[in-house]
Amino acid sequence: MKMETLDHGRVIPYNNGYWLYEFDIARSQEQAKNISALLSTSLRSVVNLIPERTKLNELKNQTANLMNYANYTLTLLSEKNLIMNNEIGNWSNFLEQAINFLQKDKEIIVAPDFNPTRVNIIRGCKAASLYHYNENTPQKLILLGATGNVTAPDTFDLTNSNVYVVDAFNQQEKIIFYREEKQTLYITEPIGECVLCLHFPLVERWNNDQVKAHIDLIEYAIIKEEDEYFYEYLKLLIGGKL
């Protein structure tokens, strides 16, 4: 706050281009009481907002998330239209955009409600691949596209067992698979005639038994509540529902 002294001994505080009040040095004790009353009134006008701060922050976060969701859906829809119209788009480009919402690290938390303890961290999705079943090539899954640090085979034989992409399609259920040598989680999910595979590295090295013991927490950590809308929209586009 800038202070400017006038010739007759009064000081007028000046802030952001506005004169706030006059302060007469000769009546400083009385003026101090007036200023105190003004400040008290100002504080009372905002004190009711303090309990609402959490709600206001939540609304702010929800607004930001909705904006991100809007941008995400429009981007993916544009990529899907390019594919459907046989233009320059392809499924690899689609997947590159699709996994953007999964780039944040996620913590695996045990006993989150009464004694939360972080036991590991899941890195953001580093790669994805998409396979498709076509009646013209029976007993095989054909690679549609891939993105990130991945070496994806062109085909998978549906008669092969213990292959997580094949098992997910044959069993028609989501499978979470872990490879200790790569310290990476693989989430494979059948979506219509397709199978989507997502790759997530772990920070701390775990064995298969540790992963199995925390499998529900792992799934919850990767697709949290705020991410479900993104993931469901992605599945709708892959499955041909949109």
Side-chain angles (χ1 to χ4, degrees), residues 171-205:
Q171 298 171 25
Q172 284 297 295
E173 64 180 10
K174 182 192 296 183
I175 293 177
I176 298 179
F177 179 80
Y178 179 63
R179 295 183 66 175
E180 288 188 43
E181 69 275 15
K182 292 191 175 183
Q183 204 172 323
T184 299
L185 294 161
Y186 302 85
I187 295 185
T188 54
E189 182 165 4
I191 306 169
E193 298 298 315
C194 296
V195 179
L196 175 65
C197 182
L198 304 171
H199 304 208
F200 298 88
L202 284 179
V203 171
E204 302 292 335
R205 184 171 295 279

Short mmCIF file of all heavy atoms in Angstrom, two decimals, residues 171-205:
data_model
loop_
_atom_site.label_atom_id
_atom_site.label_comp_id
_atom_site.label_asym_id
_atom_site.label_seq_id
_atom_site.Cartn_x
_atom_site.Cartn_y
_atom_site.Cartn_z
N GLN A 171 -12.01 -65.42 -23.15
CA GLN A 171 -12.80 -65.45 -21.92
C GLN A 171 -13.78 -64.29 -21.83
O GLN A 171 -14.64 -64.27 -20.94
CB GLN A 171 -11.87 -65.45 -20.71
CG GLN A 171 -10.94 -66.65 -20.64
CD GLN A 171 -9.88 -66.52 -19.56
OE1 GLN A 171 -10.07 -65.80 -18.58
NE2 GLN A 171 -8.76 -67.20 -19.74
N GLN A 172 -13.61 -63.31 -22.73
CA GLN A 172 -14.46 -62.11 -22.74
C GLN A 172 -14.51 -61.44 -21.37
O GLN A 172 -15.57 -61.12 -20.83
CB GLN A 172 -15.86 -62.45 -23.23
CG GLN A 172 -15.96 -62.65 -24.74
CD GLN A 172 -15.61 -61.38 -25.52
OE1 GLN A 172 -16.31 -60.37 -25.45
NE2 GLN A 172 -14.51 -61.45 -26.27
N GLU A 173 -13.31 -61.21 -20.82
CA GLU A 173 -13.22 -60.51 -19.55
C GLU A 173 -11.89 -59.77 -19.46
O GLU A 173 -10.90 -60.13 -20.12
CB GLU A 173 -13.34 -61.48 -18.38
CG GLU A 173 -12.21 -62.49 -18.28
CD GLU A 173 -12.38 -63.42 -17.08
OE1 GLU A 173 -13.45 -63.40 -16.46
OE2 GLU A 173 -11.42 -64.16 -16.78
N LYS A 174 -11.89 -58.72 -18.65
CA LYS A 174 -10.67 -57.94 -18.45
C LYS A 174 -9.65 -58.77 -17.68
O LYS A 174 -10.00 -59.44 -16.70
CB LYS A 174 -10.98 -56.66 -17.68
CG LYS A 174 -9.76 -55.76 -17.47
CD LYS A 174 -10.05 -54.65 -16.47
CE LYS A 174 -11.12 -53.72 -16.97
NZ LYS A 174 -11.36 -52.59 -16.04
N ILE A 175 -8.40 -58.72 -18.12
CA ILE A 175 -7.32 -59.46 -17.45
C ILE A 175 -6.18 -58.49 -17.16
O ILE A 175 -5.77 -57.71 -18.02
CB ILE A 175 -6.81 -60.62 -18.32
CG1 ILE A 175 -7.89 -61.70 -18.46
CG2 ILE A 175 -5.54 -61.23 -17.73
CD1 ILE A 175 -7.50 -62.85 -19.37
N ILE A 176 -5.68 -58.55 -15.92
CA ILE A 176 -4.49 -57.79 -15.55
C ILE A 176 -3.34 -58.79 -15.41
O ILE A 176 -3.40 -59.71 -14.60
CB ILE A 176 -4.69 -57.02 -14.23
CG1 ILE A 176 -5.81 -55.99 -14.40
CG2 ILE A 176 -3.39 -56.31 -13.83
CD1 ILE A 176 -6.10 -55.19 -13.15
N PHE A 177 -2.32 -58.58 -16.22
CA PHE A 177 -1.18 -59.51 -16.29
C PHE A 177 0.08 -58.75 -15.93
O PHE A 177 0.21 -57.55 -16.19
CB PHE A 177 -1.08 -60.08 -17.71
CG PHE A 177 0.06 -61.02 -17.93
CD1 PHE A 177 -0.03 -62.34 -17.52
CD2 PHE A 177 1.23 -60.59 -18.55
CE1 PHE A 177 1.03 -63.22 -17.73
CE2 PHE A 177 2.29 -61.46 -18.76
CZ PHE A 177 2.19 -62.78 -18.35
N TYR A 178 1.04 -59.46 -15.31
CA TYR A 178 2.29 -58.81 -14.88
C TYR A 178 3.48 -59.63 -15.34
O TYR A 178 3.51 -60.85 -15.20
CB TYR A 178 2.31 -58.69 -13.35
CG TYR A 178 3.57 -58.06 -12.80
CD1 TYR A 178 3.90 -56.74 -13.11
CD2 TYR A 178 4.40 -58.76 -11.93
CE1 TYR A 178 5.05 -56.15 -12.59
CE2 TYR A 178 5.54 -58.18 -11.40
CZ TYR A 178 5.86 -56.88 -11.74
OH TYR A 178 7.00 -56.29 -11.22
N ARG A 179 4.47 -58.93 -15.90
CA ARG A 179 5.72 -59.58 -16.31
C ARG A 179 6.85 -59.04 -15.42
O ARG A 179 7.20 -57.86 -15.50
CB ARG A 179 6.01 -59.31 -17.78
CG ARG A 179 5.00 -59.94 -18.72
CD ARG A 179 5.33 -59.72 -20.18
NE ARG A 179 6.55 -60.41 -20.56
CZ ARG A 179 7.00 -60.46 -21.82
NH1 ARG A 179 6.33 -59.87 -22.80
NH2 ARG A 179 8.12 -61.10 -22.09
N GLU A 180 7.37 -59.92 -14.59
CA GLU A 180 8.39 -59.50 -13.63
C GLU A 180 9.64 -58.98 -14.32
O GLU A 180 10.26 -58.01 -13.87
CB GLU A 180 8.76 -60.68 -12.72
CG GLU A 180 7.69 -61.05 -11.70
CD GLU A 180 8.18 -62.08 -10.71
OE1 GLU A 180 9.33 -61.94 -10.23
OE2 GLU A 180 7.43 -63.03 -10.41
N GLU A 181 10.05 -59.64 -15.42
CA GLU A 181 11.30 -59.24 -16.07
C GLU A 181 11.22 -57.83 -16.65
O GLU A 181 12.24 -57.15 -16.78
CB GLU A 181 11.69 -60.24 -17.17
CG GLU A 181 10.78 -60.26 -18.39
CD GLU A 181 9.56 -61.15 -18.23
OE1 GLU A 181 9.25 -61.54 -17.08
OE2 GLU A 181 8.92 -61.46 -19.25
N LYS A 182 10.02 -57.38 -16.98
CA LYS A 182 9.85 -56.02 -17.51
C LYS A 182 9.28 -55.07 -16.47
O LYS A 182 9.16 -53.87 -16.73
CB LYS A 182 8.95 -56.04 -18.74
CG LYS A 182 9.58 -56.73 -19.95
CD LYS A 182 8.76 -56.50 -21.20
CE LYS A 182 9.46 -57.08 -22.42
NZ LYS A 182 8.71 -56.81 -23.67
N GLN A 183 8.90 -55.60 -15.31
CA GLN A 183 8.33 -54.81 -14.23
C GLN A 183 7.16 -53.96 -14.75
O GLN A 183 7.03 -52.77 -14.44
CB GLN A 183 9.41 -53.90 -13.63
CG GLN A 183 9.16 -53.45 -12.20
CD GLN A 183 10.36 -52.73 -11.62
OE1 GLN A 183 11.51 -53.09 -11.88
NE2 GLN A 183 10.10 -51.70 -10.83
N THR A 184 6.30 -54.62 -15.52
CA THR A 184 5.22 -53.91 -16.21
C THR A 184 3.89 -54.65 -16.05
O THR A 184 3.84 -55.87 -16.16
CB THR A 184 5.54 -53.75 -17.71
OG1 THR A 184 6.74 -52.98 -17.85
CG2 THR A 184 4.41 -53.05 -18.45
N LEU A 185 2.84 -53.86 -15.80
CA LEU A 185 1.47 -54.37 -15.76
C LEU A 185 0.85 -54.23 -17.14
O LEU A 185 1.06 -53.23 -17.84
CB LEU A 185 0.64 -53.58 -14.75
CG LEU A 185 1.01 -53.69 -13.28
CD1 LEU A 185 0.41 -52.52 -12.51
CD2 LEU A 185 0.54 -55.02 -12.70
N TYR A 186 0.04 -55.21 -17.52
CA TYR A 186 -0.69 -55.17 -18.78
C TYR A 186 -2.17 -55.34 -18.48
O TYR A 186 -2.58 -56.34 -17.89
CB TYR A 186 -0.22 -56.28 -19.73
CG TYR A 186 1.25 -56.23 -20.05
CD1 TYR A 186 2.18 -56.84 -19.20
CD2 TYR A 186 1.72 -55.58 -21.17
CE1 TYR A 186 3.54 -56.79 -19.47
CE2 TYR A 186 3.08 -55.53 -21.46
CZ TYR A 186 3.98 -56.12 -20.60
OH TYR A 186 5.33 -56.07 -20.87
N ILE A 187 -2.96 -54.35 -18.87
CA ILE A 187 -4.41 -54.46 -18.72
C ILE A 187 -4.99 -54.73 -20.10
O ILE A 187 -4.85 -53.91 -21.02
CB ILE A 187 -5.01 -53.18 -18.13
CG1 ILE A 187 -4.52 -52.99 -16.70
CG2 ILE A 187 -6.53 -53.25 -18.15
CD1 ILE A 187 -5.15 -51.84 -15.98
N THR A 188 -5.59 -55.89 -20.26
CA THR A 188 -6.19 -56.26 -21.55
C THR A 188 -7.69 -56.40 -21.36
O THR A 188 -8.15 -57.06 -20.43
CB THR A 188 -5.60 -57.58 -22.07
OG1 THR A 188 -5.74 -58.60 -21.07
CG2 THR A 188 -4.14 -57.43 -22.41
N GLU A 189 -8.44 -55.78 -22.25
CA GLU A 189 -9.90 -55.81 -22.13
C GLU A 189 -10.54 -56.02 -23.49
O GLU A 189 -10.25 -55.28 -24.44
CB GLU A 189 -10.42 -54.53 -21.50
CG GLU A 189 -11.93 -54.54 -21.30
CD GLU A 189 -12.42 -53.47 -20.36
OE1 GLU A 189 -11.60 -52.64 -19.91
OE2 GLU A 189 -13.63 -53.45 -20.07
N PRO A 190 -11.44 -57.02 -23.61
CA PRO A 190 -12.17 -57.20 -24.86
C PRO A 190 -13.23 -56.11 -25.00
O PRO A 190 -13.95 -55.80 -24.05
CB PRO A 190 -12.81 -58.58 -24.69
CG PRO A 190 -12.94 -58.76 -23.21
CD PRO A 190 -11.79 -58.02 -22.59
N ILE A 191 -13.30 -55.53 -26.19
CA ILE A 191 -14.28 -54.48 -26.48
C ILE A 191 -14.90 -54.82 -27.83
O ILE A 191 -14.30 -54.58 -28.88
CB ILE A 191 -13.63 -53.09 -26.53
CG1 ILE A 191 -12.85 -52.80 -25.24
CG2 ILE A 191 -14.68 -52.00 -26.76
CD1 ILE A 191 -11.98 -51.57 -25.31
N GLY A 192 -16.07 -55.43 -27.81
CA GLY A 192 -16.68 -55.89 -29.06
C GLY A 192 -15.81 -56.95 -29.70
O GLY A 192 -15.46 -57.95 -29.08
N GLU A 193 -15.43 -56.71 -30.95
CA GLU A 193 -14.56 -57.64 -31.68
C GLU A 193 -13.08 -57.28 -31.52
O GLU A 193 -12.24 -57.81 -32.24
CB GLU A 193 -14.93 -57.65 -33.17
CG GLU A 193 -16.34 -58.13 -33.47
CD GLU A 193 -16.54 -59.57 -33.03
OE1 GLU A 193 -15.66 -60.40 -33.31
OE2 GLU A 193 -17.58 -59.86 -32.41
N CYS A 194 -12.78 -56.39 -30.59
CA CYS A 194 -11.40 -55.93 -30.40
C CYS A 194 -10.90 -56.28 -29.01
O CYS A 194 -11.67 -56.63 -28.11
CB CYS A 194 -11.32 -54.41 -30.59
SG CYS A 194 -11.71 -53.84 -32.26
N VAL A 195 -9.58 -56.18 -28.85
CA VAL A 195 -8.95 -56.30 -27.54
C VAL A 195 -7.97 -55.14 -27.39
O VAL A 195 -7.08 -54.96 -28.23
CB VAL A 195 -8.19 -57.64 -27.37
CG1 VAL A 195 -7.53 -57.68 -25.99
CG2 VAL A 195 -9.12 -58.81 -27.54
N LEU A 196 -8.15 -54.36 -26.33
CA LEU A 196 -7.27 -53.24 -26.04
C LEU A 196 -6.28 -53.67 -24.97
O LEU A 196 -6.66 -54.26 -23.96
CB LEU A 196 -8.08 -52.04 -25.54
CG LEU A 196 -7.28 -50.81 -25.07
CD1 LEU A 196 -6.52 -50.18 -26.23
CD2 LEU A 196 -8.21 -49.79 -24.42
N CYS A 197 -5.01 -53.36 -25.19
CA CYS A 197 -3.96 -53.71 -24.22
C CYS A 197 -3.20 -52.44 -23.83
O CYS A 197 -2.69 -51.73 -24.70
CB CYS A 197 -3.00 -54.73 -24.82
SG CYS A 197 -1.71 -55.25 -23.66
N LEU A 198 -3.14 -52.17 -22.52
CA LEU A 198 -2.46 -50.98 -21.99
C LEU A 198 -1.29 -51.42 -21.12
O LEU A 198 -1.41 -52.36 -20.33
CB LEU A 198 -3.44 -50.14 -21.17
CG LEU A 198 -4.71 -49.69 -21.88
CD1 LEU A 198 -5.69 -49.05 -20.89
CD2 LEU A 198 -4.39 -48.71 -23.01
N HIS A 199 -0.17 -50.70 -21.21
CA HIS A 199 1.06 -51.07 -20.51
C HIS A 199 1.39 -50.03 -19.44
O HIS A 199 1.48 -48.84 -19.74
CB HIS A 199 2.24 -51.15 -21.48
CG HIS A 199 2.02 -52.09 -22.63
ND1 HIS A 199 3.07 -52.74 -23.26
CD2 HIS A 199 0.90 -52.50 -23.27
CE1 HIS A 199 2.60 -53.50 -24.24
NE2 HIS A 199 1.28 -53.36 -24.26
N PHE A 200 1.62 -50.50 -18.20
CA PHE A 200 1.94 -49.61 -17.08
C PHE A 200 3.14 -50.14 -16.29
O PHE A 200 3.04 -51.20 -15.66
CB PHE A 200 0.75 -49.49 -16.12
CG PHE A 200 -0.49 -48.90 -16.73
CD1 PHE A 200 -1.42 -49.71 -17.36
CD2 PHE A 200 -0.73 -47.53 -16.67
CE1 PHE A 200 -2.57 -49.17 -17.91
CE2 PHE A 200 -1.88 -46.99 -17.21
CZ PHE A 200 -2.80 -47.81 -17.84
N PRO A 201 4.26 -49.44 -16.29
CA PRO A 201 5.41 -49.87 -15.47
C PRO A 201 5.15 -49.61 -13.99
O PRO A 201 4.42 -48.69 -13.62
CB PRO A 201 6.56 -48.99 -15.98
CG PRO A 201 6.07 -48.37 -17.25
CD PRO A 201 4.59 -48.28 -17.14
N LEU A 202 5.78 -50.43 -13.14
CA LEU A 202 5.76 -50.21 -11.69
C LEU A 202 7.08 -49.57 -11.26
O LEU A 202 8.14 -49.88 -11.82
CB LEU A 202 5.58 -51.53 -10.95
CG LEU A 202 4.18 -52.15 -10.92
CD1 LEU A 202 4.23 -53.47 -10.14
CD2 LEU A 202 3.17 -51.21 -10.29
N VAL A 203 7.03 -48.71 -10.25
CA VAL A 203 8.25 -48.08 -9.74
C VAL A 203 9.05 -49.08 -8.91
O VAL A 203 10.24 -49.29 -9.15
CB VAL A 203 7.90 -46.83 -8.91
CG1 VAL A 203 9.15 -46.30 -8.20
CG2 VAL A 203 7.31 -45.75 -9.81
N GLU A 204 8.40 -49.68 -7.92
CA GLU A 204 9.07 -50.68 -7.07
C GLU A 204 8.92 -52.06 -7.69
O GLU A 204 7.85 -52.41 -8.19
CB GLU A 204 8.46 -50.68 -5.67
CG GLU A 204 8.53 -49.34 -4.95
CD GLU A 204 9.95 -48.95 -4.60
OE1 GLU A 204 10.80 -49.86 -4.47
OE2 GLU A 204 10.21 -47.74 -4.46
N ARG A 205 10.00 -52.83 -7.65
CA ARG A 205 9.94 -54.16 -8.23
C ARG A 205 9.09 -55.08 -7.37
O ARG A 205 9.33 -55.23 -6.17
CB ARG A 205 11.35 -54.74 -8.39
CG ARG A 205 11.38 -56.11 -9.08
CD ARG A 205 12.79 -56.52 -9.41
NE ARG A 205 13.39 -55.62 -10.39
CZ ARG A 205 13.18 -55.72 -11.71
NH1 ARG A 205 12.38 -56.66 -12.19
NH2 ARG A 205 13.77 -54.88 -12.53
#
